[in-house]
Amino acid sequence: MLRDFTQSLADRTRARCGCEPLGIPDLGLAALGDQLTVVVYDAQVAGVTDGLLESLAQLRRSLP
């Protein structure tokens, strides 16, 4: 779920910048939070902010 969200956000960000999708490397669960942080930062810089806060809040609520 978290990895899928991170990949989806990365894909949307790259599309906004006119780039082809690029797979997020699987560095394991320990690194996934850091990867999400970087992808969220990149999304904000690229202007991919529509619904971002709501999506992050929903994602957080869905985690155990």
Side-chain angles (χ1 to χ4, degrees):
M1 173 185 346
L2 184 58
R3 180 163 174 64
D4 292 338
F5 177 83
T6 304
Q7 183 63 60
S8 173
L9 184 56
D11 291 345
R12 288 183 12 221
T13 301
R14 288 186 59 81
R16 172 76 180 238
C17 295
C19 298
E20 294 292 320
L22 182 65
I24 302 281
D26 187 355
L27 302 176
L29 189 56
L32 191 52
D34 293 330
Q35 287 177 310
L36 177 60
T37 299
V38 170
V39 169
V40 167
Y41 176 81
D42 290 345
Q44 290 178 320
V45 169
V48 181
T49 56
D50 290 344
L52 181 58
L53 291 178
E54 294 83 6
S55 295
L56 288 169
Q58 181 179 9
L59 178 66
R60 174 61 186 104
R61 285 191 295 270
S62 71
L63 295 174

